């Protein structure tokens, strides 16, 4: 951050006449995508030139852009010059019939960052391979046959970078718990879990997948300053690996491979991409590393038909997707209408689930929708408490939300300084289970003292209690009856009701439709207005101004769902984008990098196949030798079967 700021000041100093490519590239590398349009580069670089943004023009020094002294260089001209200096094209040149923004660019620092990750994934260490015994059967480890094959392959492999791709509900945590049992039984090392969110860390540790855990941000900080040290017998499990940015992979793998530590990447390539970070690396490694493991069986949903539908929704082809959408339609899981009606219908169904005592989840694709749903539920709780004569005191939390007793709130920032206590014994502190971003809490008591408002809350899940107050309450606590899809990733509930617009993407819809064990229903609304809508007769509000509900049929809802599934926008690395372009259309440097990477991938597959054949031959030889030895001993009157 500091280097990029200094670079921006230096570039602005002379009006952009002298451009240092490395400094400008450092600014452009702060983008959250690896493949950028020219407009993206202009925005990223321009946002870091505040000195120029304040001036209507910048007087160029001697030797200006056009060679004359005293010319005025407009900020836009300078930014364009910076873009020209660093942009490296990843696609073919834009043709006459193509729209502006078709071309994709990157900068050399992004390519170097990706290349460093690719260079580390082949590291091996025999000390980090576990023996898998004959008694380590699927039944003994509590795994399915497929889970057992993946876990034992990861444990026995000397490869230090081990991706595990698994769909939502495939039992990733169960698999990692078995891996921990294998690792800790034979070695002196420990299993550490690292995840993008504290909520994912807490779940993994609570369910026994690791002995300790850290968020990715905290882990990298601790590794950098020496507070966290790794030994050659340790194993690092990265949960929700699809949400980890490329720059974080580079930093983490640098530490782990140097220490000879095995890094197990666990995630679903079809779920949500990193937020404000370059993604696509996990997906690419799952495809390119021949020793990557994959799970394809789903266990979360109780209905086998819904399991198959969820798989097709994430990764199936046209025919499986049609069958999946047909299953959702036939089982009344798809609804459509206007936004207000869909939100109201989802809320009504959600409240029915809550009344029935089910673990219910209500999610939406925008914060505006979740705010509206949260306010509605809060008002209903307040009205009910008023009728029964109970306390209706509220305090103001983040986003202007009014919070009272009975509300569910969401914490939005990790804070280990807030005391959390055991629900059975409030005198016992729980430092190992701090307040995390994304946790939901039930409000028990409210103190609306003007100078020091606070709430007492019980955490949903483990029942731990705490007091939220001060700036944390005002800035980092909000109503959490309804949450966004991003906040819901990694959550499992009995039922899930999702309100999403027709312009959303496949991965968001996939996450929304895979949270519930018993029920997953989506309420679709049209966010876009087409020309035909201007001529359509819509029912007008009645005289009281009450909204008139508009609902579509099952066929219309299925058509909207198919459109969403077809809108697949996965995060991609710069190397992957360039590899999809013919080499003759790429700049020479980019084409050479792509060719080198392709050669490395091919060589890796060949070497891996040779090593696998050699391993099978050694195993067969040992088996034959043991059989010969047993035969000779039996001839002598001994039995070595035991």
């Amino acid at each position: 951050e500091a280097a990029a700021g200094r670079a921006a000041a230096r570039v602005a100093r002379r009006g952009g006449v002298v451009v240092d490519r490395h400094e400008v590239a450092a600014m452009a590398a702060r983008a959250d995508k690896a493949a950028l349009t020219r407009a993206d580069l202009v925005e990223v670089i321009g946002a870091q030139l505040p000195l120029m943004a304040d001036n209507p023009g910048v007087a160029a020094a001697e030797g200006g852009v056009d060679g004359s002294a005293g010319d005025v260089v407009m900020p836009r001209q300078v930014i364009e010059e910076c873009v020209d200096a660093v942009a490296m094209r990843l696609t073919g040149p834009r043709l006459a019939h193509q729209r502006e923004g078709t071309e994709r660019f990157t900068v050399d620092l992004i390519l170097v960052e990706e290349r460093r990750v690719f260079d580390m994934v082949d590291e091996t260490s025999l000390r980090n391979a576990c023996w898998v015994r004959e008694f380590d059967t699927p039944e003994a480890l509590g795994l399915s046959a497929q889970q057992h094959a993946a876990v034992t392959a990861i444990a026995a492999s000397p490869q230090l970078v081990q991706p595990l791709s698994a769909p939502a509900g495939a039992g990733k945590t169960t698999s990692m718990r078995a891996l921990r049992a294998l690792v800790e039984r034979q070695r002196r090392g420990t299993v550490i879990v690292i995840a993008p969110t504290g909520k994912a860390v807490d779940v993994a540790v609570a369910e026994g997948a690791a002995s300790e855990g850290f968020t990715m941000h905290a882990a990298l900080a601790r590794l950098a300053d020496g507070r966290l040290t790794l030994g050659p017998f340790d194993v690092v499990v990265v949960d929700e690996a699809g949400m980890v940015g490329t720059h974080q992979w580079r930093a983490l793998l640098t530490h782990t491979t140097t220490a000879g530590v095995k890094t197990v990447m666990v995630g679903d390539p079809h779920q949500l991409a990193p937020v404000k970070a370059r993604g696509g690396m996990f997906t690419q490694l799952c495809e390119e590393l021949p020793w990557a493991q994959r799970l394809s069986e789903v266990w979360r949903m109780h209905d086998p038909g819904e399991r198959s539908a969820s798989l097709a929704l994430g990764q199936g082809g046209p025919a499986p997707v049609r069958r999946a959408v047909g299953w959702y339609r036939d089982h009344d899981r798809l609804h459509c209408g206007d936004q207000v009606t869909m939100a109201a219908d989802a809320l009504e169904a959600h409240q029915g689930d809550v009344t029935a005592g089910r673990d219910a989840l209500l999610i939406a694709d925008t914060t505006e929708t979740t705010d509206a749903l949260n306010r509605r539920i809060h008002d209903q709780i307040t009205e009910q408490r008023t009728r029964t004569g109970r306390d209706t005191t509220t305090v103001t939390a983040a986003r202007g939300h009014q919070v009272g007793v009975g509300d569910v709130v969401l914490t939005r920032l990790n804070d280990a300084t807030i005391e959390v206590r055991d629900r059975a014994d409030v005198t016992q502190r729980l430092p190992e289970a701090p307040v995390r971003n994304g946790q939901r809490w039930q409000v028990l008591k409210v103190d609306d003292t003007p100078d020091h408002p606070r709430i007492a809350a019980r955490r949903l899940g483990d029942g731990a209690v705490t007091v939220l107050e001060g700036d944390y309450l005002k800035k980092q606590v909000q109503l959490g009856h309804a949450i966004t899809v991003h906040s819901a990733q990694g959550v499992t509930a009995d039922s899930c009701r999702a309100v999403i617009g027709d312009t959303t993407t496949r991965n968001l819809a996939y996450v929304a439709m895979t949270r519930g064990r018993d029920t997953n229903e989506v309420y679709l609304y049209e966010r876009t207005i087409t020309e035909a809508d201007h001529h359509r007769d819509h029912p007008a509000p009645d005289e009281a101004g009450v909204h008139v509900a508009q609902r579509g049929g099952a066929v219309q809802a299925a058509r909207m769902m198919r459109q969403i599934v077809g809108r697949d926008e996965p995060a991609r690395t710069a190397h992957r984008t360039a590899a999809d372009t013919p080499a003759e259309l790429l700049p020479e440097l980019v084409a050479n990098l792509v060719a080198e990477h392709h050669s490395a991938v091919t060589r890796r597959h060949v070497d891996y196949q040779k090593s696998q054949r050699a391993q099978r031959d050694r195993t067969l030889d040992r088996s034959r030798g043991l059989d010969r030895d047993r035969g000779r001993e039996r001839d002598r009157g001994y039995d070595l079967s035991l």
Side-chain angles (χ1 to χ4, degrees):
E1 296 289 332
R6 291 193 297 271
R10 285 193 290 270
V11 171
R13 185 178 58 212
R14 294 184 60 188
V17 175
V18 178
V19 175
D20 186 316
R21 288 193 73 260
H22 184 76
E23 293 179 348
V24 176
M27 291 188 282
R30 297 172 69 186
D32 58 1
K33 294 181 292 185
L36 305 153
T37 65
R38 186 177 181 87
D40 291 332
L41 285 170
V42 168
E43 181 179 359
V44 172
I45 295 174
Q48 298 173 71
L49 299 177
L51 297 177
M52 299 177 59
D54 295 335
N55 301 323
V58 178
E62 184 176 354
V65 174
D66 60 356
S68 61
D71 288 340
V72 175
V73 181
M74 298 301 293
R76 176 77 183 195
Q77 293 176 282
V78 177
I79 296 172
E80 294 283 1
E81 186 179 349
C82 292
V83 172
D84 291 335
V86 300
M88 304 176 70
R89 190 160 40 79
L90 297 175
T91 59
R94 184 170 70 93
L95 302 178
H97 67 279
Q98 293 177 324
R99 300 179 60 182
E100 182 69 33
T102 303
E103 291 179 288
R104 291 294 184 270
F105 303 88
T106 192
V107 295
D108 51 5
L109 294 184
I110 293 177
L111 289 169
V112 168
E113 180 180 73
E114 294 179 357
R115 182 64 176 268
R116 287 178 178 171
V117 175
F118 295 140
D119 288 342
M120 289 186 283
V121 297
D122 293 311
E123 296 292 334
T124 61
S125 173
L126 290 175
R127 290 194 298 176
N128 228 300
C130 293
W131 287 101
V132 179
R133 309 295 185 181
E134 292 182 357
F135 52 78
D136 291 323
T137 62
E139 295 76 16
L141 296 175
L143 302 174
S144 69
Q146 188 183 67
Q147 290 170 337
H148 179 265
V151 168
T152 53
I154 292 172
S157 173
Q159 302 295 150
L160 292 183
V161 179
Q162 289 280 345
L164 173 60
S165 170
K172 294 185 286 290
T173 302
T174 301
S175 300
M176 291 303 98
R177 184 165 57 241
L179 176 64
R180 179 190 177 189
L182 290 175
V183 170
E184 295 185 349
R185 185 189 66 196
Q186 300 180 39
R187 300 210 303 251
R188 297 183 300 275
T190 59
V191 177
I192 302 169
V193 66
I194 298 175
T197 65
K199 179 177 59 177
V201 172
D202 290 341
V203 170
V205 173
E207 296 189 7
S211 57
E212 60 179 328
F214 306 92
T215 64
M216 180 61 72
H217 179 78
L220 293 179
R222 288 171 176 265
L223 287 169
D225 61 20
R227 287 179 293 160
L228 175 61
T229 57
L230 300 173
F233 298 107
D234 294 332
V235 173
V236 171
V237 174
V238 181
D239 198 11
E240 299 290 351
M243 297 188 71
V244 177
T246 301
H247 70 290
Q248 294 171 322
W249 284 127
R250 178 193 59 76
L252 179 64
L253 293 180
T254 298
H255 288 287
T256 57
T257 56
T258 300
V261 172
K262 182 176 292 185
T263 303
V264 183
M265 307 172 170
V266 184
D268 185 350
H270 304 289
Q271 291 192 359
L272 299 172
V275 179
K276 297 182 179 180
R278 289 184 293 278
M281 182 57 68
F282 172 68
T283 301
Q284 187 164 346
L285 294 181
C286 286
E287 297 173 358
E288 292 184 351
L289 299 186
W291 53 83
Q293 300 298 315
R294 294 170 180 82
L295 299 178
S296 59
E297 298 172 334
V298 175
W299 303 99
R300 175 179 296 164
M301 295 80 171
H302 295 160
D303 192 316
E306 188 167 9
R307 297 175 188 173
S308 300
S310 70
L311 285 172
L313 195 63
Q315 60 187 7
V321 166
R322 284 195 298 271
R323 290 194 295 269
V325 174
W327 187 93
Y328 286 125
R329 178 197 61 209
D330 296 341
H331 288 77
D332 199 27
R333 302 296 182 87
L334 305 178
H335 314 274
C336 68
D338 66 273
Q339 185 174 8
V340 174
T341 303
M342 290 299 96
D345 288 354
L347 176 58
E348 182 179 1
H350 170 75
Q351 291 178 320
D353 293 336
V354 173
T355 302
R358 305 174 73 187
D359 179 11
L361 188 63
L362 180 61
I363 60 179
D365 58 345
T366 66
T367 55
E368 291 77 14
T369 303
T370 59
D371 280 350
L373 290 168
N374 281 319
R375 285 194 295 268
R376 173 70 71 86
I377 297 175
H378 168 78
D379 291 343
Q380 291 176 348
I381 293 175
T382 301
E383 182 180 352
Q384 182 180 11
R385 293 183 67 85
T386 300
R387 288 199 305 267
T388 56
R390 289 181 289 175
D391 182 22
T392 59
T393 303
T394 63
V395 295
T396 303
R399 301 182 63 82
H401 292 180
Q402 295 299 311
V403 174
V405 175
D407 277 324
V408 173
V409 296
L410 188 73
T411 49
R412 301 299 303 171
L413 182 69
N414 299 338
D415 193 333
T417 64
I418 299 176
E419 290 186 359
V420 178
R421 298 178 180 270
D422 186 82
R423 60 177 176 179
D425 182 5
V426 294
T427 62
Q428 181 180 351
R429 298 180 180 179
L430 302 176
E432 72 283 359
V435 174
R436 297 282 201 183
N437 173 27
Q439 290 178 342
R440 301 169 73 210
W441 306 72
Q442 183 89 36
V443 179
L444 304 176
K445 293 183 180 180
V446 173
D447 180 0
D448 63 345
T449 303
D451 58 342
H452 192 68
R454 54 182 180 168
I455 61 174
R458 179 178 60 239
R459 185 160 55 199
L460 301 183
D462 64 356
V465 294
T466 191
V467 174
L468 304 173
E469 56 190 337
D471 287 342
Y472 191 90
L473 173 62
K474 296 176 182 177
K475 299 178 181 179
Q476 306 298 341
V477 178
Q478 63 186 64
L479 289 172
H481 300 285
I483 59 177
T484 63
V485 178
H486 279 81
S487 297
Q489 179 160 304
V491 176
T492 301
D494 292 334
S495 68
C496 178
R497 317 283 177 172
V499 183
I500 60 176
D502 62 337
T503 58
T504 192
T505 58
R506 178 180 188 153
N507 56 354
L508 190 143
Y510 170 65
V511 172
M513 293 296 286
T514 54
R515 300 302 95 201
R517 303 182 188 91
D518 300 322
T519 303
N520 293 281
E521 295 191 20
V522 63
Y523 297 78
L524 302 164
Y525 64 90
E526 287 186 299
R527 188 181 286 117
T528 56
I529 299 177
T530 63
E531 185 63 26
D533 293 322
H534 295 291
H535 303 285
R536 188 181 301 164
D537 293 330
H538 294 298
D542 60 18
E543 295 181 358
V546 177
H547 176 79
V548 177
Q550 301 175 49
R551 297 182 178 88
V555 174
Q556 182 183 357
R559 183 170 62 251
M560 293 174 66
M561 191 64 178
R562 284 194 296 270
Q563 292 173 348
I564 290 173
V565 174
R567 194 176 297 111
D568 197 6
E569 301 176 1
R572 295 162 65 86
T573 65
H575 279 76
R576 174 56 57 85
T577 303
D580 293 339
T581 305
E584 62 271 15
L585 299 180
L586 292 172
E588 182 179 1
L589 176 60
V590 177
N592 290 339
L593 288 173
V594 172
E596 290 175 8
H597 180 67
H598 178 72
S599 298
V601 172
T602 302
R603 185 169 56 253
R604 179 185 299 131
H605 277 263
V606 172
D607 292 343
Y608 182 72
Q609 290 172 358
K610 289 181 179 179
S611 67
Q612 290 297 100
R613 284 196 297 268
Q615 178 65 30
R616 287 194 295 269
D617 291 342
R618 287 192 296 269
T619 302
L620 184 59
D621 290 342
R622 285 197 299 268
S623 176
R624 289 172 176 171
L626 183 59
D627 288 342
R628 287 195 300 268
D629 292 341
R630 285 176 173 173
R632 287 193 296 267
E633 294 300 329
R634 279 194 296 269
D635 292 340
R636 297 172 184 172
Y638 297 102
D639 185 1
L640 297 183
S641 61
L642 299 178

